[in-house]
Amino acid sequence: MENGWGRRTAAVQAGTMRSGWGETAEAIFLTQGFVYASAAEAEARFAADDPEGFIYARYGNPTVAMFEDRIAALEGAEAGFATASGMAAVTAALMCDLRQGDRVVASRALFGSCLWVLTELLPRFGVQTVLVDGTDLDAWKAALEGGARAVFLETVSNPMLEVIDLAAVARLAHGAGARVIVDNVFATPVFQRALDLGADVVVYSATKHIDGQGRCLGGVVLGARDFVKGPLQGFLKHTGAAMSPFNAWVLLKGLETLDLRVRAQAATAAEIAAALRGHPGLARLIWPGAPDHPQARIVAEQTTGAGTILTLDLRGGKPAAFGFLDALRIVRISNNLGDAKSLATHPATTTHQRIGAAARVHLGIGDGVVRLSVGLEDAADLIADIGRALDSAASP
Ligand SMILES: *Cc1c(COP(=O)(O)O)cnc(C)c1O
């Protein structure tokens, strides 16, 4: 990390490029293009693989570069490329280096759009995707026996909060010659160091905790310089899912408070988990920090915090879940997560509606499942709101 800085220092200071005015906060360079002092300078910049200056905002922009450099420092990555959304980051990380005949092995428990890219889009171009139960190392081993170009996984997973043994899967994947791409959104950069655990590439939807205040979309792909400045940059420069400089500025400011927000949200999530445990309206409460989490040992070894999301499985199925959601007053119904405002989602009818009933059964997403993204409100107010809504759902 820059000058041996700690991560909180990096989150506030890394990547800053001040203009001649010496501004304190980062400037928003709301420009699509750049001018050159001479024709020869333009020629030289176009000839360079990694030019000093900027050429066109689809390739790079000073405010976007500050965001890329700051999150790369925070993540411990050599380089990063920012994108218009998290899905642009996922799609680019996969497609930039895949071609007809390649195989991808992925965990089944994925964000719905990631699943669509892997199982609908890639096969159109002759790329085969094999899905496995991410928590079953034997399944990874069997699937990787046929070789693979890439492995894709999400840990912690959405919405059932499964935790995959990343170091073990990375070892198996590397043995098969695959690049390991990890969607680290739920775990956050604060709690899980995916690159240290063996991932080659980390992707984020910056829309979630990195903004964390419901304002803009964004994404980023992080990894080794030869990957980011090679196939990834080539793909993104020419396909055009560039991040807006304004969004990069919002997300730079988000990075400055990311650590504080995520830790506070996770502490409140722990309080809520403790308060709701044993509630008669709940068949199950899933939180990676709970001692009864199925992968509690991996959570303890692989992460430094259990995250900001809780998943509740209500007795009484969809009527109970809808009754609960409609009775909430502070927590709002929304499909987003990682926000300062607490948000609740019914995955079976929203984010995971279109994967179909059979796939939901496979993933354990029952009709009583509600995903709760814990925000920055007072824990006591959230516990009272959730408790009251659970009581009213249990006895409508
Ligand atoms: C939201 C999300 C994405 C997609 O990000 P967008 O910014 O909405 O495009 C990908 N993966 C996970 C785990 C997410 O939560």
Side-chain angles (χ1 to χ4, degrees), residues 85-87 111 114 154 183 185-186 205 207-208 218:
S85 69
M87 281 320 303
F111 185 72
C114 297
E154 186 182 324
D183 181 335
V185 165
F186 271 57
S205 164
T207 314
K208 312 296 166 56

Side-chain angles (χ1 to χ4, degrees), residues 92-126:
L94 284 164
M95 287 197 82
C96 73
D97 207 23
L98 289 173
R99 59 209 73 232
Q100 191 177 9
D102 284 343
R103 266 175 106 241
V104 180
V105 180
S107 60
R108 185 176 283 111
L110 293 176
F111 185 72
S113 297
C114 297
L115 206 57
W116 185 87
V117 169
L118 285 158
T119 61
E120 297 286 335
L121 184 63
L122 292 181
R124 289 184 202 168
F125 302 96

